[in-house]
Amino acid sequence: MTSQFLTITRPDDWHLHLRDGDALTAVVGDTARQFARAIVMPNLKPPVTTVAMARAYQTRIEQALAKVGIADGQFKPLMTLYLTDNTDPAEIVQAKESGAAVAVKLYPAGATTNSDAGVTDLLGRCAKTLEEMQRVGMPLLVHGEVTDPAVDVFDREALFIERVMIPLRQAFPELRVVFEHLTTKDGVDYVREASGPIAATITAQHLLYNRNAIFQGGVRPHWYCLPILKREVHRQALVDAATSDSPRFFLGTDSAPHARGLKEHACGCAGCYTALHAMELYATAFDRVGKIDKLEAFASHRGPDFYGLPRNTDRITLERTSFLIPNEIPYGSETLVPLAAGETLSWRLV
Ligand code: OTD
Ligand code: ZN
Ligand code: ZN
């Protein structure tokens, strides 16, 4: 008989959207119940572009944690800076020395939600800043999609590798790079084989679903995120990577809440809300291929190893039992629909 319980080192989420204000208060507890730390994305309006803004945002997160009864020090937000064409290299040094931000996020302008202030020409406009990041060991977290409207939405990640990632890493071979929310076999092959300090995060939705999920019986807006779900062959490559022994692939939920009304809309927002049941979703994906024993390395070891941070010392337990995902949860004055609402998962956090 297969084991009913899985106890692992407490995991971290290396890619998370926490929002701000009432939305932040509504969602932060879901992450803090499971994870010890999370890399908090800076795509607020306006984006978090300076150390001062990162500090202020961190304070608001800590206040929200207190408000929802998370004990002091139980959860640590790891802050990031939003790279723009005008990021001052001095800001990088200050972030590194103070620890106020642990990474810098690259959004190609217009690639995803709240990315209008993103970079227009990475090597042209940001060379000095990238050089400083390489020098001080500040990781660059990359939304790896080209934004050229002529490029098919399903090809944007593969083309980004050729047009941006390879030239970037040739110019800055020692720069620590995380290819965020990897979605294609092309991305997996690149990250697995590239030389130098590179890793990738993988979401639960990209491990569990292919693009058919967006169109099953009608348009399903809660399965719409960016980068968009891809073909089955890509999903399989991601599952192989996540459950492999490569140190380069680790957990990043990319949980990205939007109020129900903005998802179920004529121009619905991109993003899946997975923070509520993140570890249950990942456990289900790993278990489906008989690799539940690989979950701990993916969720709890490889991320801190890449970031040069200590692994967590406490543990969590998952139980093999059915878990019904709620249809919706409160989100300030609105509601939020978790991914796969109303479906049943085969694992539950104890
Ligand atoms: N993708 N939605 C969001 C961000 C991510 O690209 C991402 O990291 C969001 O709503 O912030 C999404 O679909
Ligand atoms: Zn992104
Ligand atoms: Zn994201």
Side-chain angles (χ1 to χ4, degrees):
M1 208 184 103
T2 45
S3 163
Q4 298 304 301
F5 293 94
L6 177 73
T7 296
I8 60 171
T9 303
R10 184 174 293 281
D12 305 298
D13 184 350
W14 300 97
H15 184 134
L16 176 67
H17 299 268
L18 280 179
R19 311 307 191 204
D20 213 343
D22 290 347
L24 164 62
T25 306
V27 299
V28 73
D30 287 344
T31 292
R33 266 188 304 110
Q34 301 167 67
F35 299 100
R37 297 168 288 198
I39 289 274
V40 180
M41 288 295 145
N43 63 329
L44 303 182
K45 269 182 180 169
V48 179
T49 52
T50 65
V51 164
M53 291 172 92
R55 282 217 176 91
Y57 186 28
Q58 181 170 349
T59 301
R60 296 197 297 281
I61 295 169
E62 283 159 1
Q63 287 164 347
L65 286 162
K67 223 187 261 181
V68 298
I70 304 290
D72 219 18
Q74 188 187 320
F75 173 77
K76 186 170 170 37
L78 303 171
M79 309 310 292
T80 58
L81 297 183
Y82 185 114
L83 184 67
T84 73
D85 286 346
N86 304 309
T87 301
D88 184 347
E91 207 73 45
I92 304 298
V93 177
Q94 204 196 330
K96 182 73 186 182
E97 283 173 357
S98 64
V102 305
V104 174
K105 181 68 193 282
L106 164 64
Y107 290 101
T112 188
T113 306
N114 299 347
S115 63
D116 302 342
V119 169
T120 60
D121 175 10
L122 183 64
L123 291 180
R125 304 290 299 266
C126 304
K128 288 240 153 54
T129 305
L130 294 168
E131 210 171 286
E132 202 63 1
M133 289 171 61
Q134 175 171 257
R135 189 180 71 76
V136 302
M138 174 72 80
L140 180 69
L141 315 183
V142 177
H143 180 110
E145 289 191 292
V146 295
T147 52
D148 180 347
V151 175
D152 190 284
V153 67
F154 292 99
D155 297 335
R156 288 180 183 176
E157 183 172 293
L159 228 71
F160 183 89
I161 298 169
E162 279 168 44
R163 288 196 190 168
V164 183
M165 194 58 109
I166 290 173
L168 165 72
R169 302 195 63 253
Q170 258 159 14
F172 301 97
E174 300 305 320
L175 181 66
R176 303 185 70 73
V177 172
V178 182
F179 203 142
E180 297 293 335
H181 47 50
L182 209 58
T183 65
T184 60
K185 179 173 189 306
D186 314 66
V188 166
D189 291 345
Y190 174 74
V191 170
R192 191 183 270 135
E193 283 150 33
S195 60
I198 185 161
T201 54
I202 302 179
T203 77
Q205 67 264 26
H206 291 99
L207 292 176
L208 286 167
Y209 301 100
N210 64 38
R211 64 192 194 179
N212 285 356
I214 312 167
F215 307 106
Q216 210 178 357
V219 174
R220 303 278 196 137
H222 298 290
W223 274 265
Y224 172 58
C225 65
L226 292 172
I228 199 159
L229 295 172
K230 304 294 194 301
R231 283 180 181 276
E232 177 63 8
V233 61
H234 298 296
R235 189 193 68 81
Q236 282 175 11
L238 293 165
V239 170
D240 284 348
T243 61
S244 75
D245 290 321
S246 167
R248 288 186 164 172
F249 302 97
F250 49 82
L251 185 156
T253 62
D254 199 13
S255 178
H258 293 278
R260 173 170 214 145
L262 292 175
K263 291 288 294 174
E264 300 170 6
H265 191 274
C267 186
C269 290
C272 298
Y273 188 63
T274 52
L276 177 72
H277 47 343
M279 286 309 296
E280 287 96 340
L281 290 167
Y282 281 109
T284 301
F286 276 60
D287 200 20
R288 266 191 202 165
V289 292
K291 295 278 181 69
I292 195 76
D293 59 311
K294 302 287 184 181
L295 184 62
E296 183 175 36
F298 175 79
S300 316
H301 293 167
R302 296 183 197 143
D305 294 356
F306 182 85
Y307 276 87
L309 293 168
R311 295 177 181 179
N312 298 316
T313 50
D314 64 331
R315 314 193 126 233
I316 62 160
T317 297
L318 290 148
E319 183 183 8
R320 191 194 299 273
T321 181
S322 63
F323 167 43
L324 179 65
I325 304 171
N327 286 323
E328 59 177 19
I329 58 176
Y331 189 58
S333 57
E334 302 176 86
T335 63
L336 186 56
V337 178
L339 184 72
E343 293 182 21
T344 302
L345 295 172
S346 49
W347 287 87
R348 154 170 228 133
L349 193 67
V350 177

